[in-house]
Amino acid sequence: MGVTGAVAALRGAVGFLSRLPVGHTEDGWEAFRRTPAAMPAVGYALGALIALPVVGAALSPVRVPAATVAVAFPAWLYLVTGITHLDGVADAGDAAVVHGDADRRREVLKDSALGVGGTVALALVVVALAAGATAVAELARFSLVGAVLLVVVAEVGAKAATATLVCVGDAPHEGLGSALTGASGPGALGWVALVTAPAALLGWPTLGPDAVAPSLAVLAAAVVVAALAFAWARARLGGVSGDVLGATNELARVVGLHVGVIAWTLS
């Protein structure tokens, strides 16, 4: 892929993964769906943008309660990224609790009505995100760079987890999932890893080698989430759908934030 194609893929990724006004073109979409590595690539910039509430609270002349950051962080995050992936959480939550075979679960995925399983899944993800933001805000009082680094790496990890499923998964039906998984294969995993790997070293220039372990923990958590999501989707749905991709993104971000904070406290 040339420079023009790479730029188109990145622009398509920003348009698909956020609400930033970059415009939507057919060329951008085609370049993006054939380039899974564009997901973690734009995760660096999105992560830095998402971290703004943490930065603002840490640099405020008055002390901002961590609970306030817990509200502002998810609100700002979904303002920037949109709530499309949350829809995947809701649909996957409903499918996870339904009785029946894979066909029945796929029917539930397509149902726009929100059930109990989806409601609980949404609540858990949003509450866990707010709790993670609280922990990150507390970390920022001791190391603002470390807190921002954690948010960025968690976002890159979330996008890498999603891109991994795009590379190794097969969609059980036509839709967004098939449009993405059908355009790539396991061979694209190398590019995803190559783009994601620098996230482990982002904190080295400022914080030294102690910053590497928490970053690696966040990325490892993303790998675990991707593996579990892939295994569940294959066993319960017959493949990786668009809803599974969205849910993986949200879960990997939340898990990454919590694992990262724990790793920072141990480092």
Side-chain angles (χ1 to χ4, degrees), residues 176-233:
L176 177 61
S178 63
L180 293 173
T181 60
S184 300
L189 271 177
W191 288 106
V192 173
L194 185 65
V195 172
T196 304
L201 302 176
L202 283 179
W204 187 299
T206 304
L207 302 175
D210 288 343
V212 176
S215 296
L216 286 175
V218 173
L219 296 179
V223 172
V224 172
V225 170
L228 292 176
F230 177 71
W232 178 82

Side-chain angles (χ1 to χ4, degrees), residues 8-9 11-13 25-33:
R11 182 175 180 178
T25 65
E26 187 65 27
D27 289 343
W29 163 250
E30 285 297 320
F32 162 66
R33 79 183 189 92

Side-chain angles (χ1 to χ4, degrees), residues 9-228:
L10 291 174
R11 182 175 180 178
V14 173
F16 180 78
L17 297 170
S18 77
R19 299 178 71 246
L20 299 179
V22 296
H24 300 275
T25 65
E26 187 65 27
D27 289 343
W29 163 250
E30 285 297 320
F32 162 66
R33 79 183 189 92
R34 298 179 186 279
T35 315
M39 293 185 184
V42 302
Y44 291 91
L46 290 179
L49 186 59
I50 289 167
L52 285 181
V54 176
V55 175
L59 298 181
S60 173
V62 297
R63 179 165 179 169
V64 178
T68 301
V69 180
V71 175
F73 185 85
W76 173 246
L77 186 152
Y78 291 121
L79 180 65
V80 171
T81 65
I83 60 173
T84 302
H85 297 314
L86 274 182
D87 183 66
V89 173
D91 289 340
D94 282 335
V97 300
V98 72
H99 295 288
D101 57 12
D103 290 335
R104 173 57 182 151
R105 293 189 181 92
R106 288 195 294 268
E107 289 179 8
V108 172
L109 282 178
K110 298 177 183 178
D111 191 346
S112 59
L114 180 62
V116 174
T119 301
V120 172
L122 277 175
L124 286 175
V125 167
V126 175
V127 169
L129 181 61
T134 302
V136 172
E138 293 290 348
L139 173 62
R141 293 175 180 171
F142 303 97
S143 175
L144 177 57
V145 174
V148 172
L149 171 69
L150 176 55
V151 175
V152 172
V153 177
E155 197 63 26
V156 173
K159 300 300 182 281
T162 307
T164 297
L165 293 195
V166 169
C167 294
V168 302
D170 293 308
H173 55 76
E174 293 296 319
L176 177 61
S178 63
L180 293 173
T181 60
S184 300
L189 271 177
W191 288 106
V192 173
L194 185 65
V195 172
T196 304
L201 302 176
L202 283 179
W204 187 299
T206 304
L207 302 175
D210 288 343
V212 176
S215 296
L216 286 175
V218 173
L219 296 179
V223 172
V224 172
V225 170
L228 292 176

